[in-house]
Amino acid sequence: MAFVSSGYNPEKPMENRITDIGPKHFEQFYPPVIKANKGKWAYHEVLQAGVLKHVAESGDEVYTVRVGGARLMSVTHIREICEIADKHCDGYVRWTTRNNVEFMVDAEAKVKPLIDDLESRKFAGGSYKFPVGGTGAGITNIVHTQGWIHCHTPATDASGPVKAAMDVLFDDFKSMRLPAHLRVSLACCLNMCGAVHCSDIAILGYHRKPPMLDHEYLDKMCEIPLAVAACPTAAIRPTKVEIGDKKLNSVAVKQERCMFCGNCYTMCPSMPLADTEGDGIVIMAGGKVSNRISYPKFSKVVVAFLPNEVPRWESTTDCIKNMVEAYAAGANKYERFGEWAERIGWERFFDVTGLEFTHHLIDDFRDPAYYTWRQTSQFKF
Amino acid sequence: MAKHETPLLDQLESGPWPSFVSDIKQEAENRAKNANNVEFQVKQDVCEDILGVLELSYKHGRTHWKHGGIVGVFGYGGGVIGRYCDQPEMFPGVAHFHTIRVNQPAGKFYNTEWLRNLCDLWEFRGSGITNMHGSTGDIVFLGTVTEQLEEIFFELTHKHGQDLGGSGSNLRTPSDCIGEARCEYACYDTQALCHFLTNEYQDELHRPAFPYKFKFKFDGCPNCCVASIARSDMSFIGTWRDDIRIDQDAVAAYVGGEYPPNAGAHKDGNWGAFDIQKEVIDLCPTGCMKYEGGKLEINDKECTRCMHCINVMPRALKKGLDTGVSILVGAKAPILDGAQMGSLLVPFVKVEEPYEEITEVIEAIWDWWMEEGKNRERLGELIKRQGFQAMLDAVGIDPVPQHVKEPRSNPYIFWKEDEVPGGWQRDVNEFRKYHQR
Ligand code: HEM
Ligand code: HEM
Ligand code: HEM
Ligand code: SF4
Ligand code: SF4
Ligand code: SF4
Ligand code: SF4
């Protein structure tokens, strides 16, 4: 493995340095039919799950075939996407805001050969490489995060639970039978890198034990005031500790005030808190970002804890499947998950889903918590 | 024979959804074969070690990445996320495993030549594993060693004319919905605005100068396909201020069942025949629609442009022609003081090159936040701490009822001294002349 230089000269690092050129211009990557009709689309139709047709004022048509993507993908897989795009789409392809892949063709006759090709491709283990779906009133890809593959603060994995959940929800990726589209997201800690706080159903990694304190190293590795300021509940204070005959600056954590958010660890490497039994999953529900009919909504915590069950997270996927079915059975056409829960009342939501209501679900964070309690005599038995 | 046993991960190869495990395994095999004789610059078995360390995390239920990692390229203060494995002897292939954020083109359209160039570079100088894409929008190159960072950056900029994305306390990589490129709802060219502002603020993106991170996102209409209202400190949402265009013949075609409601998005459910009263008129949040005698009417003055009727009947109803954007500010995830969605700041502004009306708002907000924001305080939190009014003041925008969902209910109202006749400097002895102790 010999080092091969790119031409960069480490002796003169600032020589020949190019900076601030930004991304490539988008227009060079538009398929011709997109370029020609940009801003002049007349209408669209979902022909079947995963297949869209857009018609331009000029009469031009573009057919889009959307396929699921694992998001985490190899260059081998991307090259296979390129091969398909070359074969069917004149070398153009795009990704969606939910990490699906879209292949576009400019004539209806080209759609079926493309779909047949996509659906015929499988990995050695048997899973589809390019399942067609993810449109309309169904379940599309799960927006997710790094998990144990790359991040230092997760309380669960990302790629694993997402694969497990999409396997269970696969039929709804491939069909459009629900009252409205249903977005699922996952974040492996409550930094929520992604869309967990605004999704119909969300999976969130959570800890349940306060951080451990690496007193010997803490003052050397961390800026103590930053760790103190990192705590939303002010559970951390600076202190001195004696280790052997040494007096060291460190922090103390008031354990009964800590709600295990992990933000102090983000700021201070000497406060790790990950734990095999302690860590697991919180399920949230009822969020949305679109302004359609009702305002955008935050998702609400509906299950306070499910364990990390490697490798397939059965309790989590069962819980989600159960919620999807209750929604499919109870909601009106066009009604998003959160609109449905609010219409029937959250007490009825717990009824029909059979989810247990525990004290963890009652908000107790600062002043706004009051507004989530019930200041009315209106409720259902 | 694989380098590490992965009995837990192997179970994620079955089932219909594309398996990331199968994919990483195929990359591991391809690197082992190395059919193209690539002079790999990181360990040939890096993918085996990725699976190995992940399997160990599955066994322990805990991550095996050390905290943090500060690496990068000269001239920039971000763009690379450093990572080191906490079991480097067991998994030397991922002892260093840094992530590089590569700024994606607006709309995430690609041609295959370009993608192949990136793949060749990343196979040669990295792990060959990516995220397509990070949730902020970047192409994410997942896993390389420190010595390769400058080499990769040199090749990206010199050979491919491509820059890094953002990380740290700065402007992060902006991203957008597909917009006018393939959506009839788009009220402005999201790609053009996204690309323009990304280039306009390259310095702010590459060199952290802010109290904390800051994100832009661009949605072409209130459907919010890039979720700007929830995922960006400054959210640009397309809208219009004239009338929804109604094609009565097309309305009749919907009522007659020739056109599928909602463009066919509910095709696989049993919802019965389309009922315009039930599915559109009665669901309009403002009740501003009427369908009588075969004619659809909208009282546009009362319409809040929620998109519902347009979404249900895209062939009959079109957005207005006087289009622009609303700007909302402050969205953030929960840390520290709770999640926020964007709050409406500018109800309407035209989107016209050179976008001066928009950059003025951005820069006024930055001036205020860079001056007043505390260390690691997101814009949304500064607005909460100092008040929405302080922001309006700083940015020079007059308050309007559209700024609130409802007026305050507590009467703890601040007045500025100069708003009150006589000011605040008073003499208690003067008061006592008329009011005995
Ligand atoms: C061993 C030393 C450390 C290294 C190498 C390191 C490096 C990193 C890196 C590369 C990230 C991801 C950044 C991103 O997503 O943009 C991160 C997250 C973070 N670390 Fe550490 N860190 C270390 C210790 C610390 C310390 C001492 C602090 C505080 C003084 C700190 C504060 C943070 C913060 C604030 C974030 C979140 C950044 C953001 O997303 O805006 N870290 N760390
Ligand atoms: C500690 C190390 C961290 C790592 C490794 C990390 C990793 C990432 C990555 C890879 C992305 C996608 C980036 C892209 O597409 O360019 C991301 C986005 C995001 N991060 Fe982090 N992150 C870290 C810390 C944090 C912290 C401290 C917060 C908040 C307090 C945070 C909140 C977010 C949010 C909200 C997004 C998504 C925003 C969007 O939807 O555009 N992250 N993070
Ligand atoms: C011409 C019509 C539309 C086009 C071309 C379009 C395009 C897209 C695309 C390509 C995505 C990524 C999809 C994926 O990967 O699954 C998306 C996501 C999304 N769309 Fe649309 N869309 C349209 C209409 C709508 C409508 C009618 C709504 C809502 C009522 C909507 C709300 C959303 C939302 C909420 C997301 C996901 C954002 C997120 O949670 O990350 N879109 N849209
Ligand atoms: S959600 Fe948390 S654990 Fe997951 S990638 Fe983001 S910061 Fe890391
Ligand atoms: S984990 Fe969160 S709540 Fe607990 S001490 Fe750390 S910052 Fe505070
Ligand atoms: S946000 Fe609106 S304009 Fe943009 S893709 Fe979605 S529906 Fe179309
Ligand atoms: S856009 Fe929404 S508010 Fe306006 S008329 Fe249509 S349904 Fe009513």
Side-chain angles (χ1 to χ4, degrees):
Chain A
M1 199 176 79
F3 181 82
V4 182
S5 169
S6 60
Y8 165 69
N9 179 2
E11 303 299 317
K12 295 189 174 151
M14 300 316 277
E15 197 176 86
N16 281 329
R17 180 168 292 268
I18 298 176
T19 65
D20 301 277
I21 55 177
K24 299 298 275 189
H25 196 275
F26 51 88
E27 210 166 67
Q28 71 196 86
F29 299 137
Y30 280 157
V33 57
I34 295 289
K35 196 167 186 167
N37 296 289
K38 181 170 175 178
K40 289 177 245 155
W41 296 103
Y43 68 92
H44 75 287
E45 195 177 327
V46 191
L47 299 181
Q48 66 185 68
V51 185
L52 300 159
K53 167 185 173 178
H54 284 78
V55 181
E57 286 159 10
S58 65
D60 284 358
E61 296 177 344
V62 60
Y63 294 83
T64 303
V65 178
R66 185 178 292 170
V67 302
R71 190 178 90 108
L72 180 76
M73 53 178 67
S74 68
V75 293
T76 302
H77 193 68
I78 298 174
R79 285 179 181 136
E80 188 165 344
I81 291 171
C82 291
E83 176 214 317
I84 297 167
D86 280 344
K87 196 156 124 199
H88 298 273
C89 315
D90 303 320
Y92 295 95
V93 61
R94 75 174 290 268
W95 268 259
T96 71
T97 57
R98 301 191 67 88
N99 309 314
N100 290 312
V101 186
E102 291 184 339
F103 295 96
M104 285 158 283
V105 293
D106 53 15
E108 187 158 16
K110 299 181 185 172
V111 175
K112 192 169 176 304
L114 171 60
I115 294 179
D116 290 345
D117 188 354
L118 289 165
E119 293 277 17
S120 72
R121 295 172 188 247
K122 289 188 168 188
F123 283 111
S127 63
Y128 288 99
K129 284 180 172 169
F130 306 107
V132 174
T135 56
I139 296 179
T140 181
N141 210 341
I142 300 184
V143 166
H144 64 277
T145 50
Q146 300 295 316
W148 295 330
I149 201 101
H150 196 251
C151 194
H152 60 178
T153 64
T156 189
D157 187 35
S159 305
V162 164
K163 160 75 175 152
M166 283 311 292
D167 280 342
V168 169
L169 301 172
F170 194 69
D171 289 347
D172 281 316
F173 180 78
K174 300 203 61 87
S175 83
M176 305 183 290
R177 57 139 192 161
L178 297 177
H181 53 269
L182 193 151
R183 308 297 195 206
V184 186
S185 318
L186 173 147
C188 31
C189 86
L190 51 50
N191 283 335
M192 295 192 184
C193 303
V196 159
H197 61 305
C198 55
S199 298
D200 296 278
I201 296 181
I203 308 168
L204 172 66
Y206 211 77
H207 306 287
R208 290 185 303 166
K209 299 187 184 181
M212 296 164 273
L213 299 171
D214 207 349
H215 288 305
E216 237 179 299
Y217 292 85
L218 199 139
D219 193 27
K220 297 189 195 96
M221 312 256 309
C222 313
E223 270 195 65
I224 288 175
L226 289 184
V228 171
C231 186
T233 54
I236 307 176
R237 66 179 166 82
T239 188
K240 291 206 186 294
V241 292
E242 275 179 46
I243 305 261
D245 53 358
K246 277 184 289 183
K247 239 185 164 175
L248 298 170
N249 291 325
S250 188
V251 298
V253 172
K254 198 173 240 184
Q255 298 206 330
E256 65 279 14
R257 248 205 225 170
C258 169
M259 43 68 189
F260 333 111
C261 70
N263 198 41
C264 52
Y265 180 57
T266 296
M267 299 301 293
C268 170
S270 303
M271 301 178 74
L273 74 167
D275 189 85
T276 307
E277 296 85 24
D279 295 353
I281 277 170
V282 166
I283 303 284
M284 303 174 75
K288 73 191 263 280
V289 293
S290 90
N291 293 274
R292 184 177 191 168
I293 304 178
S294 65
Y295 293 173
K297 294 178 198 297
F298 288 118
S299 359
K300 282 100 184 150
V301 176
V302 296
V303 179
F305 186 78
L306 295 168
N308 275 329
E309 295 159 324
V310 295
R312 282 201 164 267
W313 279 266
E314 288 83 0
S315 304
T316 298
T317 58
D318 286 354
C319 172
I320 293 174
K321 181 75 181 156
N322 169 37
M323 279 167 45
V324 170
E325 291 310 326
Y327 163 70
N332 295 331
K333 194 175 181 187
Y334 305 114
E335 203 167 43
R336 291 287 292 268
F337 198 98
E339 294 169 328
W340 164 65
E342 284 174 14
R343 175 173 56 82
I344 64 174
W346 285 99
E347 69 270 45
R348 191 59 80 233
F349 169 86
F350 283 95
D351 231 21
V352 298
T353 54
L355 295 177
E356 189 192 357
F357 187 86
T358 66
H359 70 87
H360 310 99
L361 308 187
I362 303 176
D363 196 354
D364 54 7
F365 185 62
R366 300 190 189 164
D367 212 40
Y370 163 82
Y371 300 98
T372 65
W373 310 332
R374 193 177 294 241
Q375 289 92 20
T376 172
S377 60
Q378 292 192 35
F379 62 87
K380 295 180 183 172
F381 287 104
Chain B
M1 179 55 202
K3 187 173 163 195
H4 308 286
E5 295 282 308
T6 53
L8 293 168
L9 291 178
D10 292 350
Q11 296 174 51
L12 288 169
E13 288 202 83
S14 57
W17 186 252
S19 167
F20 70 100
V21 177
S22 299
D23 191 11
I24 299 177
K25 282 189 178 177
Q26 84 171 0
E27 191 62 26
E29 275 172 35
N30 284 353
R31 282 178 85 90
K33 279 193 223 127
N34 193 13
N36 296 327
N37 288 316
V38 178
E39 186 92 38
F40 293 121
Q41 298 293 293
V42 310
K43 292 208 163 51
Q44 191 162 5
D45 60 2
V46 53
C47 292
E48 314 241 2
D49 280 350
I50 299 173
L51 290 171
V53 73
L54 189 59
E55 177 76 15
L56 190 66
S57 282
Y58 271 56
K59 218 159 96 188
H60 289 157
R62 297 188 301 267
T63 188
H64 277 287
W65 300 104
K66 289 190 193 177
H67 185 282
I70 296 174
V71 290
V73 296
F74 283 113
Y76 286 0
V80 186
I81 309 305
R83 223 26 121 232
Y84 302 92
C85 182
D86 71 6
Q87 298 296 337
E89 296 82 14
M90 226 186 291
F91 307 106
V94 295
H96 292 211
F97 198 64
H98 310 323
T99 292
I100 299 181
R101 293 181 182 173
V102 178
N103 199 150
Q104 84 292 353
K108 302 196 184 100
F109 284 88
Y110 296 100
N111 65 30
T112 53
E113 184 197 345
W114 171 249
L115 282 175
R116 285 201 177 92
N117 284 341
L118 290 187
C119 288
D120 291 349
L121 167 61
W122 188 237
E123 176 180 51
F124 173 35
R125 298 193 180 274
S127 68
I129 303 298
T130 75
N131 283 164
M132 297 293 281
H133 296 71
S135 45
T136 304
D138 292 291
I139 298 170
V140 174
F141 283 172
L142 201 64
T144 190
V145 297
T146 310
E147 307 77 66
Q148 286 301 316
L149 298 175
E150 288 289 1
E151 308 299 329
I152 291 166
F153 182 62
F154 192 90
E155 255 174 62
L156 270 179
T157 49
H158 285 77
K159 260 205 206 158
H160 306 301
Q162 168 68 48
D163 212 331
L164 300 185
S167 72
S169 290
N170 56 7
L171 175 64
R172 300 292 181 89
T173 305
S175 60
D176 57 355
C177 79
I178 193 169
E180 289 187 346
R182 206 195 61 210
C183 182
E184 69 272 24
Y185 303 156
C187 298
Y188 68 100
D189 187 345
T190 51
Q191 266 108 79
L193 185 58
C194 181
H195 187 78
F196 171 79
L197 291 175
T198 306
N199 282 299
E200 182 75 6
Y201 298 120
Q202 281 289 294
D203 189 27
E204 286 78 0
L205 192 153
H206 293 303
R207 296 166 200 89
F210 290 166
Y212 203 5
K213 60 174 104 167
F214 198 95
K215 294 174 186 171
F216 288 151
K217 281 187 172 57
F218 306 89
D219 276 310
C221 82
N223 282 330
C224 289
C225 294
V226 75
S228 68
I229 197 168
R231 295 160 60 174
S232 55
D233 300 81
M234 209 157 185
S235 155
F236 299 84
I237 303 180
T239 191
W240 63 94
R241 57 183 172 185
D242 53 350
D243 292 350
I244 293 178
R245 289 168 289 157
I246 309 175
D247 174 346
Q248 298 291 353
D249 294 340
V251 172
Y254 277 103
V255 174
E258 290 152 52
Y259 296 160
N262 217 104
H266 298 76
K267 267 185 186 156
D268 303 327
N270 292 318
W271 301 103
F274 177 60
D275 179 341
I276 191 169
Q277 186 66 34
K278 205 169 119 213
E279 297 187 31
V280 183
I281 312 296
D282 294 349
L283 291 182
C284 169
T286 62
C288 70
M289 307 184 80
K290 211 162 66 180
Y291 183 70
E292 275 170 14
K295 191 159 176 275
L296 181 70
E297 275 177 53
I298 300 177
N299 178 3
D300 287 275
K301 195 160 182 297
E302 299 307 314
C303 165
T304 51
R305 302 169 314 286
C306 79
M307 292 298 293
H308 175 64
C309 57
I310 298 179
N311 288 338
V312 177
M313 304 195 291
R315 297 182 72 163
L317 301 178
K318 314 256 175 224
K319 66 180 166 62
L321 294 170
D322 185 9
T323 56
V325 283
S326 302
I327 304 178
L328 291 82
V329 289
K332 60 177 284 289
I335 292 290
L336 213 56
D337 66 359
Q340 291 186 39
M341 299 230 196
S343 300
L344 183 67
L345 173 64
V346 180
F348 188 90
V349 56
K350 296 294 280 185
V351 185
E352 283 160 352
E353 284 178 74
Y355 310 113
E356 265 166 15
E357 278 185 276
I358 290 171
T359 52
E360 271 168 26
V361 179
I362 294 170
E363 286 163 28
I365 284 283
W366 281 351
D367 284 346
W368 177 58
W369 176 60
M370 287 171 72
E371 182 72 24
E372 299 289 330
K374 294 202 284 196
N375 180 34
R376 287 177 61 78
E377 184 176 50
R378 291 288 283 270
L379 175 63
E381 291 165 331
L382 174 63
I383 301 171
K384 271 193 176 176
R385 182 164 60 84
Q386 292 204 347
F388 199 87
Q389 298 92 325
M391 172 175 63
L392 291 181
D393 250 5
V395 182
I397 294 177
D398 289 333
V400 291
Q402 287 81 351
H403 281 139
V404 295
K405 191 168 65 188
E406 61 186 27
R408 69 193 305 157
S409 47
N410 67 67
Y412 304 159
I413 307 165
F414 289 97
W415 289 82
K416 290 177 195 138
E417 186 173 4
D418 62 12
E419 289 177 315
V420 189
W424 293 346
Q425 302 316 314
R426 290 180 295 161
D427 180 1
V428 72
N429 293 323
E430 190 61 25
F431 182 79
R432 284 296 167 222
K433 283 187 193 157
Y434 307 96
H435 305 280
Q436 297 174 21
R437 269 184 200 96

